[in-house]
C-alpha cells in the first residue's frame, strides 16, 4: 500500500487551464497598437482577476466607510471586511498570529517601517546591516539612510556570474556587529530564488534577525512564514494580483511588540494627552490614519482566488514551462546575453542583444503589443555587477500562454532584422 504522500508524489501535477484562467482577467482581452496584448511585465505589476475588481466595486457600493471608529452598521461591516482580509493574509502566508500582519502601502513602506522603527532601536554606531548586491532599491536605500543617520555600515553579499548569492561570503559576513540581514527572496531582475530558509537559519545561529523582501515570491510560490522562520517579511498586493496601494509587513510578535511606532496619528493610539501618548498593541500601533481599506479587502479576494488553485504546484509547473520555452527561444536566436541562469529561478528573463539598446527594443516590442520592462529595474548595483546600464526584462505570470512566449520570441527575431543586424 502506498501512503498518500507517495501517491501524490508519483502523480503528475494537474496542469492549469490557461485559457480558463485568462478569461478571469478582463484586461488581458484588450489589444495594444492594434495587436493582441502580450503582457510580460508582471514583475512590475500583475493584472487583476475579475473577483478582485468585483470585490472593490462591492466595497464601494455597499459598505464604504471608515474602519475601527463607527458604531454604525457600515463602519462595522467595513471593519469586519478589513480585519477579515488580515486573517486571509495570515492564512495564506501561514503566519502564526493575525497581530503579526501589518497593512502598509507596499513592500517599500514595509521595509522603511522596519528600517525606521526596528533600525533606530537596534542598530547603532559601528554596527552592520547585511544586504546583497541583488536587492531592489527599496531594500538598499532605507538601510543607507539608517546607516548614515546612526553611523552604522552596510555590508553586501556578492552575486556570482550565474546570478546566485555567494553563500560562503554570506557566512563570513555574518559577524557579531551584524544587527540585521535584509535579503530578497526572489530577484525581480534575475528571477533567482534564494535559499532563504537556510540563510535565515544560519543568521539565527548567531542571533541575527532576518528581513525577507518577498515582493516577487508571493505571486509565484507557496510562502510559509512559520517554516521560513524569518523575523520580517515584506510584500506588495499589486504584484500578487491584488489592488495597488496596499501591502503587508509581517513581523514576529516579539519584535512588533517592542518596536516604537513608525508614524503617529489617529487610530494607532490608546490615549493622547498634550504631553504624552500611549499606543495600541500591534498591528494597530503601526497603522496610523485611515488605511487603504478597499485595497486590503481586494487583496484578500486575490489571495482567495489563488487558494482556489489548491496550492502552487500547477502554477509552478506552468511557469516553469513558460521559462524553459522562452529561454530556449532566446538561445536559438543568438546574439542574446541572458542574466540570471540559476537553476532555481522564477519565470523572469533579463537580457541584452547585440543589435539594439534595451529601450529601443522595448519600444519595438510595444509596437507589437508586447509589454516588457527596460532599464535598470531599480537594481542599479546589480546592473553594475554585470557591467550593463540596462536590460530588457520579460516577466511571466501563470496567465501567460506558451503561444505568447512564441509571439515574444518571433518578435525578437523580427527586431533583429528591423535593427539591421
Ligand atoms: N522588492 C522587490 C523585489 C521588487 O521587485 C519591488 C518592485 C519592490 C520591492 C518594491 O515594491 P513596491 O510595490 O513597494 O513598489 N519591483 C518592480 C519591478 O521589478 N519593476 O517595477 C517595480
Amino acid at each position: 500500500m502506498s501512503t498518500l504522500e507517495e501517491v501524490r508524489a508519483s502523480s503528475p501535477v494537474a496542469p492549469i487551464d490557461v485559457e480558463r484562467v485568462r478569461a478571469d482577467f478582463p484586461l488581458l482581452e484588450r489589444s495594444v497598437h492594434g495587436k493582441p496584448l502580450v503582457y510580460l511585465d508582471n514583475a512590475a505589476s500583475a493584472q487583476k482577476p475579475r473577483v478582485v475588481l468585483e470585490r472593490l466595486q462591492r466595497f464601494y457600493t455597499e459598505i464604504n466607510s471608515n474602519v475601527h471608529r463607527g458604531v454604525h452598521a457600515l463602519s462595522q461591516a467595513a471593519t469586519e471586511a478589513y480585519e477579515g482580509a488580515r486573517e486571509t493574509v495570515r492564512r495564506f502566508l501561514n503566519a502564526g498570529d493575525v497581530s503579526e500582519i501589518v497593512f502598509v502601502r507596499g513592500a517599500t513602506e514595509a521595509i522603511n517601517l522596519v528600517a525606521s522603527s526596528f533600525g533606530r532601536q537596534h542598530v547603532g554606531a559601528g554596527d552592520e546591516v547585511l544586504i546583497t548586491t541583488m536587492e531592489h532599491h527599496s531594500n538598499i536605500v532605507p538601510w543607507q539612510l539608517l546607516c548614515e543617520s546612526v553611523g552604522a555600515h552596510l555590508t553586501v553579499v556578492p552575486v556570482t556570474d550565474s546570478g546566485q548569492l555567494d553563500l560562503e561570503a554570506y557566512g563570513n559576513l555574518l559577524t557579531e556587529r551584524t544587527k540585521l540581514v535584509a535579503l530578497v527572496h526572489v530577484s525581480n531582475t534575475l528571477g533567482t530564488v534564494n535559499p532563504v530558509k537556510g540563510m535565515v537559519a544560519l543568521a539565527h545561529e548567531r542571533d541575527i534577525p532576518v528581513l525577507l523582501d518577498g515582493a516577487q515570491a508571493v505571486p509565484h510560490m507557496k510562502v510559509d512564514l512559520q517554516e521560513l522562520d524569518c523575523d520580517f517579511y515584506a510584500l506588495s498586493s499589486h504584484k500578487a494580483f491584488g489592488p495597488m496601494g496596499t501591502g503587508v509587513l509581517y513581523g514576529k510578535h516579539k519584535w512588533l511588540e517592542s518596536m516604537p511606532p513608525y508614524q503617529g496619528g489617529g487610530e494607532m493610539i490608546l490615549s493622547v494627552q498634550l504631553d504624552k501618548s500611549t499606543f495600541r498593541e500591534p498591528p494597530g500601533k503601526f497603522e496610523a490614519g485611515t488605511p487603504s481599506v478597499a485595497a486590503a479587502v481586494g487583496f484578500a479576494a486575490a489571495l482567495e482566488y489563488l487558494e482556489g488553485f489548491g496550492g502552487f504546484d500547477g502554477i509552478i509547473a506552468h511557469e516553469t514551462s513558460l521559462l524553459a520555452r522562452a529561454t530556449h527561444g532566446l538561445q536559438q536566436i543568438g546574439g542574446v546575453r541572458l542574466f540570471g541562469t540559476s537553476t532555481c529561478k522564477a519565470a523572469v528573463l533579463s537580457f541584452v542583444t547585440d543589435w539594439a539598446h534595451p529601450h529601443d527594443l522595448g519600444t519595438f516590442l510595444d509596437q507589437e503589443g508586447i509589454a516588457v520592462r527596460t532599464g535598470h529595474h531599480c537594481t542599479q548595483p546589480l546592473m553594475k555587477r554585470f557591467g550593463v546600464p540596462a536590460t530588457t526584462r520579460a516577466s511571466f505570470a501563470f496567465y501567460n500562454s506558451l503561444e505568447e512566449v512564441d509571439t515574444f520570441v518571433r518578435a525578437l527575431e523580427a527586431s533583429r532584422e528591423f535593427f539591421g543586424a
Side-chain angles (χ1 to χ4, degrees):
M1 265 293 273
S2 305
T3 64
L4 192 58
E5 279 66 34
E6 281 166 346
V7 172
R8 281 207 185 109
S10 65
S11 63
V13 173
I16 60 171
D17 181 342
V18 179
E19 282 316 307
R20 259 184 70 184
V21 168
R22 290 180 69 80
D24 293 335
F25 290 78
L27 190 140
L28 297 179
E29 288 162 20
R30 66 161 289 178
S31 50
V32 169
H33 304 310
K35 307 268 171 65
L37 169 68
V38 176
Y39 188 75
L40 304 182
D41 196 16
N42 293 285
S45 196
Q47 300 307 337
K48 324 301 174 200
R50 192 173 282 105
V51 286
V52 169
L53 308 177
E54 286 169 356
R55 191 75 65 91
L56 288 172
Q57 168 96 1
R58 253 205 344 264
F59 179 86
Y60 281 121
T61 50
E62 292 175 16
I63 60 171
N64 175 56
S65 62
N66 216 324
V67 290
H68 298 148
R69 57 195 87 193
V71 291
H72 61 82
L74 290 192
S75 179
Q76 284 180 6
T79 303
E80 224 168 84
Y82 182 62
E83 292 306 324
R86 200 188 303 278
E87 165 55 21
T88 302
V89 172
R90 186 210 63 75
R91 183 181 69 229
F92 190 84
L93 299 173
N94 194 28
D97 195 87
V98 81
S99 68
E100 298 175 316
I101 305 297
V102 182
F103 281 119
V104 289
R105 212 155 48 83
T108 302
E109 190 177 44
I111 297 166
N112 275 279
L113 192 165
V114 178
S116 187
S117 171
F118 175 94
R120 278 163 203 283
Q121 193 178 43
H122 292 276
V123 182
D127 287 340
E128 294 171 356
V129 175
L130 180 56
I131 61 167
T132 83
T133 309
M134 67 167 79
E135 300 308 317
H136 186 278
H137 293 167
S138 63
N139 202 25
I140 301 175
V141 184
W143 306 114
Q144 287 174 339
L145 295 173
L146 170 68
C147 288
E148 274 164 27
S149 74
V150 303
H153 307 287
L154 264 191
T155 47
V156 185
V157 182
V159 168
T160 66
D161 289 346
S162 62
Q164 290 168 284
L165 293 176
D166 179 338
L167 293 178
E168 200 181 319
Y170 173 67
N172 293 333
L173 285 163
L174 293 168
T175 73
E176 70 280 0
R177 290 182 302 280
T178 314
K179 291 295 179 285
L180 182 80
V181 174
L183 162 70
V184 72
H185 191 168
V186 175
S187 161
N188 64 316
T189 300
L190 306 172
T192 311
V193 181
N194 289 317
V196 290
K197 192 177 168 199
M199 295 177 78
V200 170
L202 198 65
H204 282 178
E205 278 175 22
R206 295 160 169 80
D207 286 331
I208 303 167
V210 180
L211 174 144
L212 296 179
D213 172 358
Q216 300 292 348
V218 174
H220 302 290
M221 64 187 64
K222 173 69 192 162
V223 172
D224 183 327
L225 291 174
Q226 291 187 74
E227 195 193 327
L228 289 177
D229 197 30
C230 57
D231 298 272
F232 299 101
Y233 200 88
L235 62 108
S236 293
S237 153
H238 71 100
K239 293 184 196 287
F241 317 105
M244 288 178 170
T246 196
V248 169
L249 170 69
Y250 159 82
K252 278 187 179 165
H253 190 78
K254 67 170 180 183
W255 296 122
L256 293 184
E257 199 180 22
S258 62
M259 280 159 52
Y262 167 54
Q263 295 178 329
E267 285 309 303
M268 47 77 75
I269 53 89
L270 280 178
S271 73
V272 176
Q273 290 165 7
L274 286 175
D275 57 347
K276 190 176 165 33
S277 300
T278 57
F279 308 114
R280 283 170 54 192
E281 290 296 305
K285 180 167 65 171
F286 297 106
E287 294 184 5
T290 301
S292 297
V293 180
V297 172
F299 185 35
L303 298 181
E304 286 160 16
Y305 176 81
L306 287 172
E307 284 175 338
F309 286 83
F312 272 87
D313 289 357
I315 291 174
I316 290 171
H318 177 60
E319 292 187 5
T320 303
S321 46
L322 294 174
L323 178 65
R325 183 117 148 196
T327 307
H328 179 73
L330 251 62
Q331 282 162 346
Q332 293 304 301
I333 297 175
V336 176
R337 181 179 167 206
L338 197 56
F339 302 94
T341 50
S342 162
T343 48
C344 194
K345 67 176 276 190
V348 174
L349 284 178
S350 264
F351 60 93
V352 292
T353 65
D354 281 352
W355 58 87
H357 187 280
H359 292 299
D360 295 333
L361 188 57
T363 307
F364 177 90
L365 292 172
D366 178 55
Q367 290 303 312
E368 299 299 309
I370 302 169
V372 294
R373 186 172 171 191
T374 62
H376 52 64
H377 318 298
C378 301
T379 53
Q380 282 184 342
L382 189 64
M383 294 289 117
K384 190 168 173 216
R385 157 67 180 84
F386 283 106
V388 290
T391 71
T392 301
R393 181 188 69 184
S395 54
F396 299 86
F398 60 87
Y399 46 60
N400 288 124
S401 66
L402 291 166
E403 291 73 25
E404 286 184 311
V405 172
D406 295 343
T407 305
F408 165 63
V409 173
R410 273 198 306 274
L412 265 185
E413 274 168 344
S415 78
R416 187 175 197 168
E417 238 166 79
F418 179 84
F419 289 104

